[in-house]
Amino acid sequence: MAQQETTREQKSIVSDVTHHENAESIDGDDGTTGNEIRQEYTSSESSLKKKRAVKRAGDAEKGILKPIKLSKSDLYKPPTNEELNQLKETENLFHSSLLRMQIEELLKEVRLKEKRRNCIDAFLHEVKNVLSSIPETSVTDITDQSWLPRDVKVPFLQVPYNVKGKFCFLPPLSVKVVGSYLLDMCVKPDITVDVAITMPKEILQDKDNLNQRYHRKRALYLSHIASYLAKNELFESVKFGYMNSNHLKPVLLIKPKGKDVKLLTVRLLASAPQGFFKLGRFLPSKNNIRSAWFMEQSLSQEGVNDPPTPHYNNSILTDLVLEQHLHFLFNAATDFPGMKDGVAILKVWLRQRELDKGFGSFSGFIASMLVAYLVSKHKINKMMSGYQILRNVLQFLATTDLTENGITMAQNKDDSAPSLAEFHQAFDVVMVDPSGYVNLCAEMTASKYKQVQFEAKQSMEILDDKTTDGFQMLLMTPKPFVRTFDHVFFIKNLVKLQGTCKKMNLLNEMMDHGGNYIVAALPYIVSVLLRGLGQRVQLFSHSLIETPEWAISEDPPKHKDIKFLTFGLLLNSEFCTIVLDRGPQADNPEAVEFRTFWGQKSELRRFQDGAICEAVVWQAETMCEKRLIQEQIIQYLLELHADIPSSSLSYVGGLLDSIIKVKDEPLGTGEEESVAVIKSYDDLSRKLWNLEELPLTVTSVQGTHPALRYTDVFPPVCVKPDYACYKKTKDKSLLPLEDKPCPVYIPALTVICHMEGSGKWPQDKEAIKRIKAAFHIRLTELLNQQHQLLCRPTATHVDVYKDGYVFRIQVAYHREPLILKEVITPEGMLKYKDTDESLKLETDTIHRPYLTSTLHGLQQQFPAYSGTCRLAKRWIRAQLLGDFISEECTDLMVAFLFLHPAPHTPPSSPQVGLLRFLHLLATFDWKNNPLIVNLNGDIKDVEYPEIKNDFLTIRSQLPVLFIATPKDRKGSMWTKEQPSAQAPFLEKK
């Protein structure tokens, strides 16, 4: 009964707040503060919890809680429905109870504490008092701004300057808190509170929707407010900024003084009274910017055949529906505590991927509205937790393409409201708000939404992968632009984009975006490059334009003040190195379009199947040059279609290639040299397998040198001796002459040759060494006789000179390590014990060959693995750490980036691979976690916890840097000796 009464009371309070005319305002009509209204609204949700807590702490003295004494009945009481649901949810949704606890702790960190809320509420109350006391001004023309103080500039680019209309300042009609703060959905560390200041209708005129009149009145209104707030000692700073970097929507940013409200920003938004403008004036097909006014031409043809201005119209509409959006979110959040948690988690997810700030971003507000939409469509029910909301939203984004099939939140749709088809015709991405008139994603480009969709798909895969720490990957690991994309390039000198707009006939788009030539040209540049790159990229996106805030005494930043635009390419390793793009057949109608698009690059070619087709060929010989074909394509297309010269382009795809170049001509980075070494090794391996007259059969031939797994920093180059510098001995060896230059050093590439087991093998370790020496001599004779190879035998190996390389063949017997472990006790008993000699032999003949062959296969799967390893080794040696971190250790850490790339995709360029390698070194918790490298997928999902448990059990006995592999799960053989705990990247831990 008590619970039922509480529920009724809660519904009654929520109903009162919902129907209260000014429920979202700072102050209520009855004089109550915003804090009191909020407390009344939220108190019912936690009343039972508080009562129980008070009851349990009834005997507490001076705030010190005493242990709770439970009766026997309470101790063995069966779990409640709530506890059973929580256990079931943990079992079904979370991989472990740890994930649930991690999310709960995250929410505690990002949500506002009650004490801080009280301070913010008090500050907002003071802000309202200050705003209501600002004096009026006399009526002047919009262009007459002499009444403004000299130290205050209008936060608007007034181009063209002349515009009709009158303006005067009158006190705000209302001051209301809107957005996430009132709904308790904002997250730390940076708290932004949106306050809507409704301008009196006496300031506005009927035709203020035309030619930026409304926008300029907003700017003048905020300018007058700024001039008075700047004099008030209550505020630490008063600055201007743009709403989501949209220069048509300036806002006033104020920061309070005091530690209690640190990192708080109050954003003042000026808006028209609700209902002042008819929403039908701002349909996507309507025009509200006259071409004659924008071009400063004669007004005789004003309004005739002017193009629609959907983005401009949408910027006004968003001001007219602020309260409607707030009520929509409030209704969705009513009786739904999980929604606050879900939105908070989503905001963290977006922030880690740099998707939530800037022009055309997928902001936290859009995420909140999307959650409310899914609630209205019953795809999210009000019993779900924050984690379930996250999964449902990610699933929706991953499977729904809003560039093709938009959504609408309008339930009772107005007949005069535009259809989804009209929205799609005007905008790239469509998400219509509850009014049916506003597109919440109006400024988002299709490529940016594709990135959001791509990230959602990846995140779902990570959440479903039981071997990955989903919480760490999704919510704790940042994904900056340069570490997300394989190649990055920048367009500088953005003034050049004015010429782009002229070249692409984008005058209408410039009008629609208030003269912002960067925003007007961006979608068209992206579409041209996407078409040219085709299958070479799996994702192509751009950074979000962010305009910094500025002092009220400064002029607003101009479009050219944006230093550069950043673009990212996520390469498709299967197609990105292809040098020829095949087009349609010559007699196909599409061939004309192909030739128009590619210009002089297009040429006719006959292919092996007999077809004569249009084609484009790119100049690239080495793998290094093939990786940068995308740069050639982008430079060519930007100059051809956008009038952007290559001097305005900065491509960062092979910035570090120069430090792993093997030789100057041709300009390669060692891939060809590595392939040549492997080719020669494979031929030698076949010759060893097919040798005749050997006493025992060869069972395996495995290389161990880094060059044979593509990870040698500078792979050996084929060296042909200059015989004029040598003299031949009787055994056909070459001795250098004293008066000639010193011969070139040729590194020896170690190859392990295992011989079959036989009863003829001795059981004494010294005898085995002599048998192996005999095998080396015999191999020398047979290789010389059967294949005319120059060989030099020794007791421990035989060096073979072949194709300009030296291969050092070492014969191995599989039982030798075991024999070396034999120890005779004083009692005469035979025991087996690891010795330094046996461990070294086992590593050299078993583990290192296995690792080399495995990583050789990894290179076949991921072409960027070789370059990444070599760059990583160059960096390690540049830090003077080469003596502490072995080559095998580096190879395995890099392999981890490719086999376990979450939250990224496997690197497709060495450059981004190195950046991720450095991030791994800097952030991985070596002290508490093993680095598990699942080579060939031999470690099953259920075995991951076992490896981690074993690691934690004997952590103090293990190396400071622990790497587990399928063949080495408990010892970390490659890091046993080094590095020590004093290694720089380990000291930080």
Side-chain angles (χ1 to χ4, degrees), residues 892-965:
L892 285 171
M893 286 192 287
V894 174
F896 176 84
L897 299 174
F898 288 83
L899 296 173
H900 314 278
H904 306 280
T905 55
S908 291
S909 76
Q911 176 179 280
V912 75
L914 175 65
L915 292 177
R916 295 181 192 172
F917 172 77
L918 297 179
H919 183 259
L920 174 71
L921 286 183
T923 61
F924 191 82
D925 187 2
W926 301 100
K927 184 177 181 180
N928 298 307
N929 290 293
L931 189 75
I932 303 176
V933 186
N934 193 3
L935 299 171
N936 294 330
D938 290 340
I939 301 177
K940 306 305 178 186
D941 294 354
V942 294
E943 295 174 325
Y944 272 76
E946 296 177 8
I947 295 174
K948 292 181 180 179
N949 290 337
D950 292 341
F951 167 82
L952 293 173
T953 303
I954 54 172
R955 179 65 187 100
S956 59
Q957 305 170 27
L958 296 174
V960 291
L961 193 156
F962 186 91
I963 300 178
T965 63

Side-chain angles (χ1 to χ4, degrees), residues 62-87:
K62 297 182 181 181
I64 300 174
L65 295 177
K66 293 184 177 181
I68 301 173
K69 295 182 180 180
L70 297 176
S71 64
K72 189 173 181 180
S73 59
D74 289 335
L75 189 61
Y76 294 98
K77 185 169 64 175
T80 63
N81 288 334
E82 182 181 355
E83 291 170 339
L84 287 173
N85 289 334
Q86 191 176 28
L87 290 171

Side-chain angles (χ1 to χ4, degrees), residues 423-652:
F423 277 111
H424 276 293
Q425 191 173 358
F427 304 105
D428 287 349
V429 187
V430 176
M431 183 189 293
V432 183
D433 80 327
S435 71
Y437 287 86
V438 179
N439 180 15
L440 301 175
C441 297
E443 308 303 343
M444 190 180 297
T445 62
S447 63
K448 182 52 66 174
Y449 179 77
K450 293 294 185 183
Q451 183 185 351
V452 174
Q453 194 174 31
F454 181 84
E455 293 287 356
K457 289 178 182 177
Q458 261 199 309
S459 298
M460 287 302 297
E461 292 174 2
I462 292 171
L463 287 175
D464 292 335
D465 185 358
K466 295 183 178 179
T467 64
T468 302
D469 185 351
F471 174 80
Q472 185 71 27
M473 295 299 104
L474 295 190
L475 304 175
M476 300 302 289
T477 305
K479 290 190 66 177
F481 208 81
V482 292
R483 280 210 308 271
T484 299
F485 292 94
D486 297 310
H487 286 184
V488 175
F489 70 93
F490 308 90
I491 295 180
K492 304 174 292 183
N493 303 324
L494 295 182
V495 175
K496 299 282 186 184
L497 294 185
Q498 294 182 18
T500 301
C501 291
K502 186 176 181 180
K503 174 91 172 179
M504 294 183 167
N505 298 319
L506 300 178
L507 174 61
N508 296 342
E509 284 72 14
M510 284 184 63
M511 287 174 48
D512 192 16
H513 289 98
N516 192 335
Y517 48 86
I518 299 174
V519 172
L522 180 59
Y524 295 89
I525 290 175
V526 171
S527 64
V528 166
L529 295 181
L530 266 176
R531 179 178 175 184
L533 293 169
Q535 289 183 310
R536 296 176 185 275
V537 296
Q538 54 178 319
L539 180 65
F540 179 80
S541 189
H542 57 86
S543 62
L544 294 166
I545 300 172
E546 288 195 57
T547 307
E549 57 192 40
W550 67 95
I552 61 175
S553 59
E554 299 175 355
D555 290 321
K558 298 179 175 59
H559 306 310
K560 64 180 181 180
D561 292 337
I562 299 173
K563 295 182 180 180
F564 49 80
L565 281 175
T566 308
F567 298 83
L569 293 78
L570 202 59
L571 301 179
N572 187 338
S573 57
E574 185 179 352
F575 299 103
C576 67
T577 56
I578 296 175
V579 297
L580 185 142
D581 291 322
R582 178 171 174 172
Q585 292 190 2
D587 55 352
N588 195 310
E590 296 177 357
V592 177
E593 185 181 357
F594 186 89
R595 286 193 294 269
T596 303
F597 181 77
W598 287 107
Q600 297 179 353
K601 279 287 184 181
S602 179
E603 57 184 42
L604 283 176
R605 285 198 165 229
R606 183 186 295 276
F607 291 85
Q608 291 183 351
D609 59 1
I612 300 176
C613 300
E614 296 287 343
V616 177
V617 182
W618 304 100
Q619 297 299 319
E621 296 181 6
T622 65
M623 182 57 67
C624 170
E625 293 172 335
K626 290 178 181 179
R627 281 200 303 266
L628 297 176
I629 287 177
Q630 286 70 229
E631 181 180 4
Q632 296 183 48
I633 296 173
I634 290 167
Q635 284 183 345
Y636 177 75
L637 291 178
L638 287 180
E639 191 158 5
L640 177 65
H641 293 286
D643 273 351
I644 299 176
S646 58
S647 60
S648 296
L649 195 70
S650 178
Y651 196 92
V652 187

Side-chain angles (χ1 to χ4, degrees), residues 363-389:
S363 63
F365 167 70
I366 295 176
S368 305
M369 294 294 284
L370 180 57
V371 173
Y373 165 77
L374 295 176
V375 171
S376 66
K377 294 297 181 181
H378 307 293
K379 294 184 179 180
I380 291 179
N381 65 64
K382 295 193 174 184
M383 297 298 294
M384 287 185 176
S385 65
Y387 177 73
Q388 289 174 295
I389 292 172

